[in-house]
Amino acid sequence: MKVTPNSTEPILRIRGLCKSFGAQPVLQGIDLDVRPSQVVVVIGPSGSGKSTLLRCCNGLEQAEAGRVDICSQTLVDQGRMLPEAQLNALREDVGMVFQSFNLFAHLSVLDNITLGPRKLRGQSRAQAEMQARALLDKVGLAHKADAMPASLSGGQKQRVAIARALAMQPRVMLFDEPTSALDPELVGEVLQVMKLLASEGMTMMVVTHEMDFAKEVADVVVVMDAGMVVESGPPETIFSQPTQERTRSFLQAILSRS
Amino acid sequence: MDLDFSPVWSGWPQLLQGALVTVEVTSVSLLLGCVLGLLIGMGRLHPERRWVYGFCTAYLAVIRGTPLLVQLFILFFGLPQFGIMLPAFLCGVLGLGIYSGAYVSEIVRGAIQSIDRGQMEAARSIGLSSRQAMLNVILPQAVVRMIPPLGNEFIALIKNSALVSLLTIHDLMHEGQKIISVSYRSLEVYLAIALMYFVLTGLTTLALRHVEQRLRAGGMVQ
């Protein structure tokens, strides 16, 4: 367990966030703080709004009510989004990793990672590639620099996707079920990289069904259901003494599966 | 029945000259059609931009819904009533390009929309603007998917180009008809012309297959 000072200002602050798809409410008043170097893991049954919550934190979804402050900027306030140019700049500070990897299919592993730094940071190809190779080394894929995404396994793709996000030197990383599309034997290699990031002090918000990861790495576990936070707290409390019946039944369902 | 191909042999240089004009007309209108198609197709990606979307949709409806021959005649015989006298070659290229652009636009739109939504989201999530994402991530992948249907469109364009002979452009069709008018050997000359069009479309097919294979070898196509 890391010791995280709680006095610091949150890097991500969500207040009263509401979002619906058509008539279907997906988020119904979410409050959540993520402080620097904290790892916040969001769990809950599918359809509970976890992914939507995460996507509201970098503007891929627009919340209708409530407010998101991230990296000292107000991303959305009562349905008003940050203007396009500032939103793009903000996204450079907020890395995102997707369930379905979303590597750029037409670019090599190296080009996937260097595209952002070259187009947005004005880095030369040589500069960007040096950084990219260092990141690939970190995620254990130095030998795959010239491979095309189609030739990689799911676990390798996701590790490249993490490297691609890291190349922008984000202040926060959002993980949207990063291991849910992986074969079971490939989950470990991705979680290992995420643990490494956490140990280096990266601020992370992770939506996942990996309860062992939550127990081991999370500073705060947030349980969501039906668009609301059921309860949140340190993993020891959530997993061994949950106060809410909803949490108990969800954990039971998840844990009996494995 | 006796076939006499001697007018084809003696008119060979004329036919080759005509084929060259056909290649010129189709290449320029191909280029125009691709540019127009890209613009119109991208204009139809966002229905919420009502004016752009409306204009592009109207373009598609009108151009696709009326005969190419009528469009060519409006350009060549109709516009002079307003004092707009365009050279025949320009009319032919404009007419074919505008017509082809309508079909290319649907190819462009279909290919762009077939790219997984996650590609755009990933591009935006690292901070690229929608324009940068379109140029660097979406279009390069979409272009690969456009090649097979574009091949069909190019071939249709080559064949449709025979209509410009009616605008006094000296293309392959026009040269053939000139030979017929002095030799009265319709079947032989039309067979020869058909063969030459077939060679042109065949070369186009081979060229596109080559391009696709190279992209595939480069890993751009799965």
Short mmCIF file of all heavy atoms in Angstrom, two decimals, chain A residues 55 58 60-61 84 88-89 91-92 94-96 98 102-107 115-116 119-120 148 150 164-165 168, chain B residues 116-130 132 135-138 140-141 144 218-222:
data_model
loop_
_atom_site.label_atom_id
_atom_site.label_comp_id
_atom_site.label_asym_id
_atom_site.label_seq_id
_atom_site.Cartn_x
_atom_site.Cartn_y
_atom_site.Cartn_z
N ARG A 55 -15.47 8.23 -19.50
CA ARG A 55 -15.45 8.95 -20.77
C ARG A 55 -15.88 10.40 -20.60
O ARG A 55 -15.57 11.25 -21.44
CB ARG A 55 -16.33 8.23 -21.79
CG ARG A 55 -15.74 6.87 -22.22
CD ARG A 55 -16.77 5.98 -22.87
NE ARG A 55 -17.35 6.60 -24.06
CZ ARG A 55 -16.80 6.50 -25.28
NH1 ARG A 55 -15.72 5.81 -25.47
NH2 ARG A 55 -17.37 7.09 -26.31
N ASN A 58 -12.71 12.89 -20.00
CA ASN A 58 -11.86 13.49 -21.04
C ASN A 58 -12.70 14.00 -22.21
O ASN A 58 -12.20 14.23 -23.30
CB ASN A 58 -10.77 12.52 -21.52
CG ASN A 58 -11.32 11.40 -22.36
OD1 ASN A 58 -12.52 11.20 -22.43
ND2 ASN A 58 -10.43 10.68 -23.02
N LEU A 60 -15.04 12.61 -24.02
CA LEU A 60 -15.56 11.75 -25.09
C LEU A 60 -17.07 11.63 -24.96
O LEU A 60 -17.77 11.37 -25.94
CB LEU A 60 -14.92 10.36 -25.02
CG LEU A 60 -13.49 10.25 -25.54
CD1 LEU A 60 -12.99 8.82 -25.46
CD2 LEU A 60 -13.35 10.77 -26.97
N GLU A 61 -17.58 11.82 -23.74
CA GLU A 61 -19.02 11.97 -23.54
C GLU A 61 -19.24 13.31 -22.86
O GLU A 61 -18.39 13.78 -22.11
CB GLU A 61 -19.58 10.85 -22.63
CG GLU A 61 -19.40 9.45 -23.13
CD GLU A 61 -20.29 9.10 -24.31
OE1 GLU A 61 -21.17 9.91 -24.68
OE2 GLU A 61 -20.10 8.01 -24.88
N GLU A 84 -13.26 23.77 -27.91
CA GLU A 84 -12.52 22.73 -28.65
C GLU A 84 -10.99 22.80 -28.48
O GLU A 84 -10.36 21.79 -28.14
CB GLU A 84 -12.90 22.87 -30.14
CG GLU A 84 -12.44 21.73 -31.01
CD GLU A 84 -13.22 20.43 -30.76
OE1 GLU A 84 -14.27 20.46 -30.09
OE2 GLU A 84 -12.74 19.38 -31.23
N ASN A 88 -8.72 19.99 -26.60
CA ASN A 88 -7.65 19.20 -27.22
C ASN A 88 -6.38 19.28 -26.38
O ASN A 88 -5.69 18.27 -26.18
CB ASN A 88 -7.37 19.70 -28.64
CG ASN A 88 -8.52 19.38 -29.58
OD1 ASN A 88 -9.30 18.47 -29.34
ND2 ASN A 88 -8.65 20.15 -30.65
N ALA A 89 -6.07 20.48 -25.90
CA ALA A 89 -4.86 20.65 -25.09
C ALA A 89 -5.00 19.87 -23.78
O ALA A 89 -4.04 19.23 -23.33
CB ALA A 89 -4.62 22.13 -24.82
N ARG A 91 -6.70 17.19 -23.26
CA ARG A 91 -6.61 15.74 -23.49
C ARG A 91 -5.16 15.26 -23.55
O ARG A 91 -4.90 14.08 -23.32
CB ARG A 91 -7.34 15.38 -24.79
CG ARG A 91 -8.85 15.31 -24.61
CD ARG A 91 -9.53 15.11 -25.93
NE ARG A 91 -10.95 14.84 -25.77
CZ ARG A 91 -11.87 15.15 -26.69
NH1 ARG A 91 -11.50 15.73 -27.80
NH2 ARG A 91 -13.12 14.88 -26.47
N GLU A 92 -4.24 16.17 -23.89
CA GLU A 92 -2.83 15.76 -23.88
C GLU A 92 -2.39 15.40 -22.47
O GLU A 92 -1.48 14.60 -22.28
CB GLU A 92 -1.95 16.91 -24.42
CG GLU A 92 -2.22 17.23 -25.88
CD GLU A 92 -1.31 18.34 -26.38
OE1 GLU A 92 -0.18 18.46 -25.87
OE2 GLU A 92 -1.74 19.10 -27.28
N VAL A 94 -4.43 14.06 -20.21
CA VAL A 94 -5.28 12.99 -19.69
C VAL A 94 -5.19 11.79 -20.62
O VAL A 94 -5.79 11.77 -21.68
CB VAL A 94 -6.75 13.47 -19.60
CG1 VAL A 94 -7.61 12.37 -18.99
CG2 VAL A 94 -6.85 14.75 -18.78
N GLY A 95 -4.39 10.81 -20.23
CA GLY A 95 -4.23 9.62 -21.08
C GLY A 95 -5.41 8.70 -20.94
O GLY A 95 -6.04 8.63 -19.88
N MET A 96 -5.74 8.01 -22.05
CA MET A 96 -6.86 7.08 -21.96
C MET A 96 -6.48 5.74 -22.60
O MET A 96 -5.86 5.71 -23.66
CB MET A 96 -8.08 7.67 -22.66
CG MET A 96 -9.28 6.75 -22.69
SD MET A 96 -10.72 7.59 -22.04
CE MET A 96 -11.94 6.28 -22.08
N PHE A 98 -8.26 2.10 -23.79
CA PHE A 98 -9.59 1.59 -24.11
C PHE A 98 -9.66 0.08 -23.98
O PHE A 98 -8.67 -0.62 -24.17
CB PHE A 98 -9.97 1.97 -25.55
CG PHE A 98 -10.01 3.45 -25.81
CD1 PHE A 98 -8.87 4.15 -26.16
CD2 PHE A 98 -11.21 4.15 -25.72
CE1 PHE A 98 -8.91 5.52 -26.40
CE2 PHE A 98 -11.26 5.51 -25.97
CZ PHE A 98 -10.11 6.20 -26.30
N ASN A 102 -7.80 0.04 -29.64
CA ASN A 102 -7.88 1.13 -30.61
C ASN A 102 -6.52 1.63 -31.07
O ASN A 102 -6.30 2.83 -31.23
CB ASN A 102 -8.67 2.32 -30.04
CG ASN A 102 -10.11 1.95 -29.75
OD1 ASN A 102 -10.60 0.94 -30.24
ND2 ASN A 102 -10.78 2.75 -28.94
N LEU A 103 -5.60 0.70 -31.30
CA LEU A 103 -4.34 1.11 -31.94
C LEU A 103 -4.65 1.54 -33.36
O LEU A 103 -5.55 1.00 -33.99
CB LEU A 103 -3.35 -0.07 -31.95
CG LEU A 103 -2.79 -0.49 -30.61
CD1 LEU A 103 -1.75 -1.59 -30.81
CD2 LEU A 103 -2.16 0.68 -29.87
N PHE A 104 -3.89 2.53 -33.85
CA PHE A 104 -4.09 2.98 -35.22
C PHE A 104 -3.65 1.87 -36.16
O PHE A 104 -2.46 1.56 -36.26
CB PHE A 104 -3.33 4.28 -35.48
CG PHE A 104 -3.67 5.36 -34.48
CD1 PHE A 104 -2.69 6.14 -33.90
CD2 PHE A 104 -5.00 5.59 -34.12
CE1 PHE A 104 -3.01 7.12 -32.98
CE2 PHE A 104 -5.34 6.57 -33.20
CZ PHE A 104 -4.34 7.33 -32.63
N ALA A 105 -4.62 1.29 -36.87
CA ALA A 105 -4.37 0.03 -37.57
C ALA A 105 -3.39 0.18 -38.73
O ALA A 105 -2.76 -0.79 -39.14
CB ALA A 105 -5.70 -0.53 -38.09
N HIS A 106 -3.24 1.41 -39.24
CA HIS A 106 -2.41 1.59 -40.43
C HIS A 106 -0.98 1.98 -40.06
O HIS A 106 -0.16 2.19 -40.94
CB HIS A 106 -3.01 2.66 -41.33
CG HIS A 106 -3.07 4.01 -40.67
ND1 HIS A 106 -3.73 4.22 -39.48
CD2 HIS A 106 -2.56 5.20 -41.04
CE1 HIS A 106 -3.61 5.50 -39.15
NE2 HIS A 106 -2.90 6.10 -40.08
N LEU A 107 -0.70 2.12 -38.77
CA LEU A 107 0.62 2.59 -38.35
C LEU A 107 1.34 1.50 -37.57
O LEU A 107 0.72 0.71 -36.86
CB LEU A 107 0.49 3.83 -37.46
CG LEU A 107 -0.11 5.08 -38.09
CD1 LEU A 107 -0.19 6.21 -37.07
CD2 LEU A 107 0.70 5.52 -39.30
N LEU A 115 2.97 9.42 -33.06
CA LEU A 115 2.06 10.33 -33.77
C LEU A 115 1.71 11.57 -32.92
O LEU A 115 1.85 12.71 -33.38
CB LEU A 115 0.78 9.59 -34.18
CG LEU A 115 -0.24 10.45 -34.96
CD1 LEU A 115 0.32 10.83 -36.32
CD2 LEU A 115 -1.57 9.72 -35.13
N GLY A 116 1.29 11.33 -31.70
CA GLY A 116 0.90 12.44 -30.83
C GLY A 116 2.04 13.41 -30.58
O GLY A 116 1.92 14.61 -30.86
N LYS A 119 2.88 15.38 -33.80
CA LYS A 119 1.88 16.32 -34.31
C LYS A 119 1.56 17.41 -33.29
O LYS A 119 1.20 18.53 -33.67
CB LYS A 119 0.58 15.59 -34.67
CG LYS A 119 0.72 14.58 -35.79
CD LYS A 119 0.96 15.27 -37.12
CE LYS A 119 1.42 14.25 -38.16
NZ LYS A 119 1.91 14.90 -39.38
N LEU A 120 1.64 17.07 -32.00
CA LEU A 120 1.15 18.01 -30.99
C LEU A 120 2.26 18.67 -30.19
O LEU A 120 2.10 19.77 -29.69
CB LEU A 120 0.19 17.29 -30.04
CG LEU A 120 -1.05 16.72 -30.73
CD1 LEU A 120 -1.76 15.75 -29.82
CD2 LEU A 120 -1.98 17.85 -31.16
N MET A 148 3.30 -4.33 -37.03
CA MET A 148 2.00 -3.70 -37.24
C MET A 148 1.03 -4.23 -36.18
O MET A 148 1.13 -5.39 -35.77
CB MET A 148 1.46 -4.02 -38.65
CG MET A 148 2.25 -3.42 -39.79
SD MET A 148 2.42 -1.62 -39.74
CE MET A 148 0.77 -1.10 -40.23
N ALA A 150 -1.87 -5.44 -36.24
CA ALA A 150 -2.60 -6.68 -36.54
C ALA A 150 -1.80 -7.92 -36.17
O ALA A 150 -2.37 -8.99 -35.97
CB ALA A 150 -2.97 -6.71 -38.03
N ARG A 164 1.43 4.42 -25.89
CA ARG A 164 0.98 5.54 -26.72
C ARG A 164 0.41 6.66 -25.84
O ARG A 164 0.69 7.84 -26.07
CB ARG A 164 -0.09 5.05 -27.70
CG ARG A 164 -0.70 6.18 -28.52
CD ARG A 164 -1.70 5.66 -29.54
NE ARG A 164 -2.90 5.11 -28.90
CZ ARG A 164 -3.90 4.54 -29.56
NH1 ARG A 164 -3.83 4.44 -30.88
NH2 ARG A 164 -4.94 4.07 -28.92
N ALA A 165 -0.37 6.27 -24.83
CA ALA A 165 -0.93 7.29 -23.94
C ALA A 165 0.18 7.96 -23.12
O ALA A 165 0.18 9.18 -22.93
CB ALA A 165 -1.97 6.66 -23.02
N MET A 168 2.43 11.08 -24.33
CA MET A 168 2.01 12.47 -24.18
C MET A 168 2.31 13.00 -22.78
O MET A 168 1.95 14.11 -22.43
CB MET A 168 0.50 12.61 -24.46
CG MET A 168 0.07 12.23 -25.88
SD MET A 168 1.03 13.04 -27.17
CE MET A 168 0.54 14.74 -26.94
N ASP B 116 -13.70 1.93 -37.59
CA ASP B 116 -14.20 1.77 -36.22
C ASP B 116 -14.14 3.10 -35.47
O ASP B 116 -13.16 3.83 -35.54
CB ASP B 116 -13.35 0.71 -35.51
CG ASP B 116 -13.86 0.44 -34.12
OD1 ASP B 116 -14.94 -0.16 -34.02
OD2 ASP B 116 -13.19 0.82 -33.13
N ARG B 117 -15.23 3.37 -34.73
CA ARG B 117 -15.35 4.61 -33.97
C ARG B 117 -14.19 4.79 -32.99
O ARG B 117 -13.78 5.90 -32.67
CB ARG B 117 -16.68 4.58 -33.20
CG ARG B 117 -17.37 5.89 -33.03
CD ARG B 117 -18.81 5.64 -32.59
NE ARG B 117 -18.85 5.02 -31.27
CZ ARG B 117 -19.20 5.67 -30.16
NH1 ARG B 117 -19.54 6.93 -30.22
NH2 ARG B 117 -19.22 5.05 -28.99
N GLY B 118 -13.67 3.67 -32.52
CA GLY B 118 -12.59 3.70 -31.55
C GLY B 118 -11.33 4.38 -32.09
O GLY B 118 -10.54 4.93 -31.33
N GLN B 119 -11.13 4.33 -33.41
CA GLN B 119 -9.96 4.96 -34.01
C GLN B 119 -10.02 6.47 -33.81
O GLN B 119 -9.03 7.11 -33.46
CB GLN B 119 -9.88 4.63 -35.51
CG GLN B 119 -9.65 3.16 -35.79
CD GLN B 119 -8.21 2.74 -35.52
OE1 GLN B 119 -7.28 3.36 -36.00
NE2 GLN B 119 -8.04 1.70 -34.73
N MET B 120 -11.19 7.04 -34.06
CA MET B 120 -11.36 8.48 -33.86
C MET B 120 -11.23 8.82 -32.38
O MET B 120 -10.56 9.79 -32.01
CB MET B 120 -12.72 8.92 -34.42
CG MET B 120 -13.04 10.39 -34.24
SD MET B 120 -11.84 11.54 -34.95
CE MET B 120 -12.51 11.88 -36.55
N GLU B 121 -11.84 8.00 -31.52
CA GLU B 121 -11.79 8.29 -30.08
C GLU B 121 -10.36 8.23 -29.56
O GLU B 121 -9.94 9.07 -28.76
CB GLU B 121 -12.67 7.30 -29.32
CG GLU B 121 -14.14 7.53 -29.56
CD GLU B 121 -15.03 6.65 -28.71
OE1 GLU B 121 -14.52 5.69 -28.09
OE2 GLU B 121 -16.24 6.94 -28.66
N ALA B 122 -9.60 7.23 -30.03
CA ALA B 122 -8.22 7.11 -29.59
C ALA B 122 -7.41 8.32 -30.05
O ALA B 122 -6.61 8.88 -29.29
CB ALA B 122 -7.59 5.83 -30.12
N ALA B 123 -7.66 8.74 -31.29
CA ALA B 123 -6.93 9.89 -31.83
C ALA B 123 -7.28 11.16 -31.04
O ALA B 123 -6.40 11.95 -30.68
CB ALA B 123 -7.26 10.08 -33.31
N ARG B 124 -8.56 11.34 -30.75
CA ARG B 124 -8.97 12.52 -29.99
C ARG B 124 -8.44 12.45 -28.56
O ARG B 124 -8.14 13.47 -27.96
CB ARG B 124 -10.50 12.66 -29.96
CG ARG B 124 -11.18 12.82 -31.32
CD ARG B 124 -10.62 13.95 -32.15
NE ARG B 124 -10.64 15.25 -31.50
CZ ARG B 124 -11.68 16.07 -31.48
NH1 ARG B 124 -12.79 15.73 -32.09
NH2 ARG B 124 -11.60 17.24 -30.90
N SER B 125 -8.35 11.23 -28.01
CA SER B 125 -7.96 11.11 -26.61
C SER B 125 -6.50 11.48 -26.38
O SER B 125 -6.12 11.82 -25.26
CB SER B 125 -8.23 9.69 -26.09
OG SER B 125 -7.21 8.81 -26.52
N ILE B 126 -5.65 11.42 -27.43
CA ILE B 126 -4.28 11.89 -27.21
C ILE B 126 -4.15 13.38 -27.50
O ILE B 126 -3.09 13.96 -27.35
CB ILE B 126 -3.23 11.10 -28.03
CG1 ILE B 126 -3.52 11.15 -29.52
CG2 ILE B 126 -3.11 9.69 -27.55
CD1 ILE B 126 -2.42 10.48 -30.35
N GLY B 127 -5.26 14.01 -27.92
CA GLY B 127 -5.25 15.46 -28.06
C GLY B 127 -5.32 15.97 -29.49
O GLY B 127 -5.29 17.18 -29.72
N LEU B 128 -5.38 15.05 -30.47
CA LEU B 128 -5.48 15.50 -31.86
C LEU B 128 -6.83 16.18 -32.08
O LEU B 128 -7.85 15.76 -31.53
CB LEU B 128 -5.35 14.31 -32.82
CG LEU B 128 -4.00 13.58 -32.85
CD1 LEU B 128 -4.09 12.36 -33.76
CD2 LEU B 128 -2.89 14.49 -33.35
N SER B 129 -6.84 17.24 -32.90
CA SER B 129 -8.10 17.87 -33.27
C SER B 129 -8.83 16.96 -34.23
O SER B 129 -8.26 16.00 -34.75
CB SER B 129 -7.83 19.22 -33.94
OG SER B 129 -7.21 19.00 -35.19
N SER B 130 -10.10 17.25 -34.48
CA SER B 130 -10.84 16.35 -35.37
C SER B 130 -10.23 16.37 -36.77
O SER B 130 -10.21 15.36 -37.47
CB SER B 130 -12.33 16.73 -35.41
OG SER B 130 -12.48 18.05 -35.81
N GLN B 132 -6.95 16.89 -37.50
CA GLN B 132 -5.72 16.09 -37.44
C GLN B 132 -6.04 14.60 -37.39
O GLN B 132 -5.36 13.79 -38.04
CB GLN B 132 -4.91 16.47 -36.19
CG GLN B 132 -4.22 17.81 -36.30
CD GLN B 132 -3.60 18.23 -34.97
OE1 GLN B 132 -4.21 18.07 -33.91
NE2 GLN B 132 -2.39 18.77 -35.02
N LEU B 135 -7.12 13.47 -40.90
CA LEU B 135 -6.01 13.41 -41.85
C LEU B 135 -5.01 12.30 -41.53
O LEU B 135 -4.52 11.62 -42.43
CB LEU B 135 -5.26 14.75 -41.86
CG LEU B 135 -5.88 15.85 -42.71
CD1 LEU B 135 -5.08 17.14 -42.58
CD2 LEU B 135 -5.96 15.42 -44.16
N ASN B 136 -4.71 12.12 -40.25
CA ASN B 136 -3.62 11.21 -39.88
C ASN B 136 -4.08 9.81 -39.54
O ASN B 136 -3.29 8.87 -39.58
CB ASN B 136 -2.84 11.78 -38.68
CG ASN B 136 -2.11 13.05 -39.03
OD1 ASN B 136 -1.15 13.02 -39.79
ND2 ASN B 136 -2.58 14.17 -38.54
N VAL B 137 -5.34 9.68 -39.14
CA VAL B 137 -5.79 8.37 -38.66
C VAL B 137 -6.92 7.79 -39.51
O VAL B 137 -6.83 6.65 -39.96
CB VAL B 137 -6.24 8.46 -37.17
CG1 VAL B 137 -6.81 7.14 -36.71
CG2 VAL B 137 -5.06 8.88 -36.30
N ILE B 138 -7.95 8.57 -39.75
CA ILE B 138 -9.14 8.01 -40.40
C ILE B 138 -8.93 7.87 -41.92
O ILE B 138 -9.09 6.79 -42.48
CB ILE B 138 -10.39 8.86 -40.12
CG1 ILE B 138 -10.57 9.06 -38.61
CG2 ILE B 138 -11.63 8.23 -40.74
CD1 ILE B 138 -10.77 7.79 -37.83
N PRO B 140 -6.25 7.81 -43.97
CA PRO B 140 -5.32 6.80 -44.49
C PRO B 140 -5.91 5.39 -44.47
O PRO B 140 -5.64 4.60 -45.36
CB PRO B 140 -4.12 6.91 -43.54
CG PRO B 140 -4.19 8.27 -42.97
CD PRO B 140 -5.66 8.60 -42.88
N GLN B 141 -6.71 5.10 -43.45
CA GLN B 141 -7.32 3.76 -43.40
C GLN B 141 -8.50 3.66 -44.35
O GLN B 141 -8.75 2.63 -44.96
CB GLN B 141 -7.79 3.46 -41.98
CG GLN B 141 -6.65 3.39 -40.98
CD GLN B 141 -7.14 3.02 -39.60
OE1 GLN B 141 -7.72 1.96 -39.40
NE2 GLN B 141 -6.92 3.89 -38.64
N VAL B 144 -7.73 3.00 -48.18
CA VAL B 144 -7.48 1.61 -48.54
C VAL B 144 -8.81 0.90 -48.85
O VAL B 144 -8.91 0.12 -49.79
CB VAL B 144 -6.73 0.89 -47.41
CG1 VAL B 144 -6.49 -0.56 -47.77
CG2 VAL B 144 -5.41 1.59 -47.13
N GLY B 218 2.27 -3.82 -47.22
CA GLY B 218 2.72 -2.86 -46.22
C GLY B 218 1.96 -2.98 -44.91
O GLY B 218 2.17 -2.21 -43.99
N GLY B 219 1.00 -3.92 -44.86
CA GLY B 219 0.27 -4.15 -43.62
C GLY B 219 -0.90 -3.21 -43.43
O GLY B 219 -1.52 -3.18 -42.37
N MET B 220 -1.21 -2.39 -44.46
CA MET B 220 -2.30 -1.43 -44.32
C MET B 220 -3.66 -2.10 -44.40
O MET B 220 -4.65 -1.59 -43.92
CB MET B 220 -2.23 -0.37 -45.42
CG MET B 220 -1.00 0.47 -45.36
SD MET B 220 -1.30 2.08 -44.64
CE MET B 220 -2.38 2.82 -45.85
N VAL B 221 -3.71 -3.27 -45.08
CA VAL B 221 -4.99 -3.96 -45.22
C VAL B 221 -4.88 -5.27 -44.45
O VAL B 221 -3.88 -5.97 -44.58
CB VAL B 221 -5.28 -4.27 -46.70
CG1 VAL B 221 -6.68 -4.84 -46.84
CG2 VAL B 221 -5.10 -3.03 -47.53
N GLN B 222 -5.90 -5.55 -43.65
CA GLN B 222 -5.84 -6.81 -42.90
C GLN B 222 -6.50 -7.91 -43.70
O GLN B 222 -7.47 -7.69 -44.35
CB GLN B 222 -6.54 -6.67 -41.56
CG GLN B 222 -5.60 -6.12 -40.51
CD GLN B 222 -5.76 -4.64 -40.32
OE1 GLN B 222 -6.84 -4.19 -40.03
NE2 GLN B 222 -4.71 -3.88 -40.53
#
